[in-house]
Amino acid sequence: MTRLGGVRFCSVFVVAFCISAASSLAQSNDKARGNPALSLRGKYVDQRIAEFMEKNGVPGLAMAIVQAPYIPRSAGYGRASVTDDELASTRTMWNIGPMTQGFTAVAVFQLYEAGKLDIRDPVDKYVANLPTAWGKTTLLELLQHASGIPDYRASPNFKDGQSYKPADLIALVADKPALFKAGTDVRMSATDFLLLGLAIERAGGMSFHDYVTRNQIEPLKLHSTMFVEDFAAKSFRDSGQKHSRFKSEVPYVNPVEPAVGYKDIQGKLAAIDARAPQSLFAFGSMWSSAEDISAWDIGLAGSILVKREENRALIYKPTKLANGTVVPAMAGWEFTRHPGFMEIKGSSPGFSAYLSRFTDPGDLVCVTLLVNKEGLDLTDLARDIAASYKADLGSGVSSEEIVSQESKYSVDETTSRLQAVLKARDVPVFAVFDHGGNAQKVEMQLRPTKVVVFGNPKVGTKLMQDSQAAALDLPLRLSIWEDARGRVWVSHRSMEGLAAEFGIRDAATVAALERMMEGVVSRAANVYDY
């Protein structure tokens, strides 16, 4: 247990970190394959993980590292549950939440290549009794999250942990108006992937569970990847016998065990029933281990799972809408301006998940993070771990002092999105400075750089009452800047660093500010609202 800002935290966290690197990748500023001294700005990966765990009250973590075709490093840290003597290990399973969308998209294209469905077919060809307004939405639009169909998770009648049948989930939003005309915009909706799961069942002639198991889990020998209904037959929790069975039963030697998921309720972690994510179906119901996700990620790289290159390109490239607008997202994946970069992330009952892939031939790096506490943003930790293997995968700015996240949009669009998010939260914007534009006025060159200055006087005054010198950094500000590679970053001072520098003792206000900054940046820099 760790106390942070007067709030007690206790959670379990698993990290699966995948690195795929070809032998031809050898640049002067990179570490050689197999180099054990992997650090960034003087901190080793293990130290970063330990600090993340301490800061977020995380008692357990598992990490797997892949440098194709090897997994040279796999380790567990701490505990896989708060109450039982279960350690986070290489075979611990975690609900992977929205990462399930990746498996669903692969299944759709496997059926497409088998001639059993067409991604341009209307969904009502495969799913009966749908609202008339939904029926002509194509499977491709569902994959793109470009359907406009409301997300059943947003229904006031949807309850996390309650058991639903697909028809029940459809009924939650069947009478709701479309969010937009299909094919004109993108917004994440779990309903889209519910419908895709049903289409897979119809076209594949078997359940979604069986199709994914036979065509992805079994061919890749993913022994720690399954659905909650498989736990009784395929996982080996010791049922309170204090792990004595490993002495006589081989399956209990480094057993396949599901982690316990947690939700923070008024500063205390409440355990979530393992069946809670089950109703998320083809959007978020799958469970997997660190090593299995690593192996599956390698399978995405070539023709093992999806045979034809043009189909892989459809899954792993930004969406182009009918009106010509390009949205940097597809099938749950999002794309930044880093060449070949893609990530998928989100939350499910008791868990958070993150998976990124650096697919450019000069990078070939993948990072996966799985956490059994919902609501954690793992993006920054993942990027620092990646940069420990190849320095230019990060922002190049010290994350200990400056928190940076890569945006999916240009500097101008990211700035506009930030202003919109702040306005929606009733946070005043005091000024926007265009440093790039100002440089041009004095006939100097500067890559696009803007600063948004904003804040709540009540919150800022509380900090200055603690330390008036903090006025140097107040109101708050966010910098939006383009680096030499054309990538766009959103950066801000570390709130903890600011508090330490000025001797601010109001830990609760500082923690709230940090959560606010994280939420604003995440909403502005990403396509999907998590």
Side-chain angles (χ1 to χ4, degrees), residues 256-335:
V256 174
E257 290 180 332
V260 178
Y262 296 95
K263 181 176 183 177
D264 190 320
I265 300 176
Q266 296 181 343
K268 295 183 179 180
L269 287 184
I272 303 297
D273 191 311
R275 294 168 294 182
Q278 192 170 13
S279 291
L280 293 175
F281 191 40
F283 178 81
S285 65
M286 293 185 66
W287 293 66
S288 191
S289 69
E291 289 191 354
D292 276 11
I293 288 296
S294 300
W296 179 73
D297 171 74
I298 294 171
L300 298 178
S303 59
I304 293 175
L305 294 175
V306 178
K307 303 298 182 185
R308 296 206 293 268
E309 184 177 354
E310 62 269 26
N311 290 334
R312 296 195 296 273
L314 276 173
I315 305 175
Y316 306 136
K317 285 189 177 180
T319 292
K320 186 173 183 179
L321 299 173
N323 60 10
T325 300
V326 176
V327 180
M330 170 66 174
W333 296 100
E334 295 187 66
F335 310 90

Side-chain angles (χ1 to χ4, degrees), residues 381-457:
L381 175 63
R383 205 61 180 256
D384 275 348
I385 294 174
S388 298
Y389 284 80
K390 189 171 186 292
D392 63 359
L393 298 186
S395 67
V397 177
S398 171
S399 59
E400 289 72 31
E401 299 174 1
I402 305 296
V403 180
S404 299
Q405 186 170 146
E406 190 180 358
S407 176
K408 279 73 180 181
Y409 302 96
S410 68
V411 168
D412 287 344
E413 190 166 1
T414 302
T415 302
S416 296
R417 290 173 63 87
L418 279 169
Q419 291 176 275
V421 172
L422 291 166
K423 182 178 180 180
R425 297 184 178 212
D426 293 323
V427 178
V429 173
F430 302 123
V432 177
F433 297 104
D434 182 357
H435 292 305
N438 291 337
Q440 289 182 352
K441 292 177 182 177
V442 294
E443 298 182 347
M444 296 180 70
Q445 296 297 315
L446 180 67
R447 289 186 294 272
T449 305
K450 290 188 175 183
V451 173
V452 177
V453 181
F454 62 97
N456 184 326

Side-chain angles (χ1 to χ4, degrees), residues 33-46:
R33 279 164 59 93
N35 187 333
L38 295 165
S39 64
L40 177 69
R41 295 186 298 274
K43 286 187 180 181
Y44 291 107
V45 169
D46 285 352

